Coordinates of all heavy atoms in Angstrom, one line a residue:
E49 N 2.9 -6.4 -1.7 CA 3.1 -7.1 -3.0 C 4.3 -6.7 -3.7 O 4.4 -5.6 -4.2 CB 1.9 -6.9 -3.9 CG 2.0 -7.8 -5.1 CD 0.6 -7.8 -5.9 OE1 -0.4 -8.4 -5.6 OE2 0.6 -7.0 -6.9
D50 N 5.3 -7.6 -3.6 CA 6.6 -7.1 -4.1 C 7.5 -8.4 -4.3 O 7.2 -9.4 -3.6 CB 7.3 -6.1 -3.2 CG 7.8 -4.9 -4.0 OD1 8.2 -5.1 -5.1 OD2 7.7 -3.8 -3.4
V51 N 8.7 -8.2 -4.9 CA 9.6 -9.3 -5.1 C 10.3 -9.6 -3.8 O 10.4 -8.6 -2.8 CB 10.6 -8.9 -6.2 CG1 10.0 -8.8 -7.5 CG2 11.4 -7.7 -5.9
P52 N 10.9 -10.7 -3.6 CA 11.6 -11.0 -2.4 C 12.8 -10.1 -2.1 O 13.4 -9.5 -3.0 CB 12.0 -12.5 -2.6 CG 11.2 -13.0 -3.7 CD 10.9 -11.8 -4.6
G53 N 13.1 -10.0 -0.8 CA 14.3 -9.3 -0.4 C 14.3 -7.8 -0.2 O 15.3 -7.2 -0.3
L54 N 13.1 -7.3 -0.1 CA 13.0 -5.9 -0.1 C 12.6 -5.3 1.3 O 11.9 -4.2 1.5 CB 11.9 -5.3 -1.2 CG 12.4 -5.6 -2.5 CD1 11.3 -5.0 -3.5 CD2 13.7 -4.9 -2.8
A55 N 12.8 -6.2 2.3 CA 12.6 -5.9 3.8 C 11.1 -5.7 4.2 O 10.8 -5.0 5.2 CB 13.3 -4.5 4.1
K56 N 10.3 -6.5 3.5 CA 8.9 -6.5 3.9 C 8.7 -7.1 5.3 O 8.0 -6.5 6.2 CB 8.0 -7.3 2.9 CG 8.1 -6.7 1.5 CD 7.2 -7.4 0.6 CE 7.7 -8.8 0.3 NZ 9.0 -8.9 -0.4
Q154 N 3.1 -11.1 -0.4 CA 3.0 -12.1 -1.6 C 3.9 -11.6 -2.8 O 4.1 -10.5 -2.9 CB 1.5 -12.3 -2.2 CG 1.0 -11.1 -2.9 CD -0.3 -11.4 -3.6 OE1 -0.6 -12.6 -3.9 NE2 -1.0 -10.4 -4.0
N155 N 4.4 -12.6 -3.5 CA 5.4 -12.4 -4.6 C 4.6 -12.4 -5.9 O 4.0 -13.4 -6.3 CB 6.5 -13.5 -4.6 CG 7.5 -13.3 -5.7 OD1 7.3 -12.5 -6.6 ND2 8.5 -14.1 -5.6
P156 N 4.5 -11.3 -6.5 CA 3.6 -11.2 -7.7 C 4.2 -11.8 -9.0 O 3.6 -11.9 -10.0 CB 3.4 -9.6 -7.9 CG 4.7 -9.1 -7.4 CD 5.1 -9.9 -6.3
I157 N 5.5 -12.1 -8.9 CA 6.2 -12.5 -10.2 C 6.2 -14.0 -10.4 O 6.6 -14.6 -11.4 CB 7.7 -12.0 -10.3 CG1 8.5 -12.6 -9.2 CG2 7.6 -10.5 -10.3 CD1 9.9 -12.2 -9.3
S178 N 3.6 -1.5 -2.1 CA 4.8 -2.0 -2.9 C 5.9 -1.3 -2.4 O 6.0 -0.1 -2.5 CB 4.6 -1.9 -4.4 OG 5.7 -2.3 -5.0
M179 N 6.9 -2.0 -1.9 CA 8.2 -1.3 -1.3 C 9.0 -0.8 -2.5 O 9.5 0.3 -2.4 CB 9.0 -2.4 -0.5 CG 8.3 -3.0 0.7 SD 8.2 -1.7 2.1 CE 9.9 -1.9 2.7
G180 N 9.2 -1.6 -3.5 CA 10.0 -1.0 -4.6 C 11.5 -1.2 -4.2 O 11.9 -1.4 -3.2
Y181 N 12.3 -1.2 -5.3 CA 13.8 -1.3 -5.2 C 14.4 -0.1 -4.6 O 13.9 1.0 -4.8 CB 14.4 -1.6 -6.5 CG 14.2 -3.0 -7.2 CD1 13.4 -3.0 -8.3 CD2 14.7 -4.1 -6.6 CE1 13.1 -4.3 -8.8 CE2 14.4 -5.3 -7.2 CZ 13.7 -5.4 -8.3 OH 13.3 -6.6 -8.8

Side-chain angles (χ1 to χ4, degrees):
E49 187 174 274
D50 231 324
V51 297
L54 297 182
K56 300 184 293 295
Q154 70 168 343
N155 181 350
I157 63 174
S178 176
M179 297 284 284
Y181 290 111

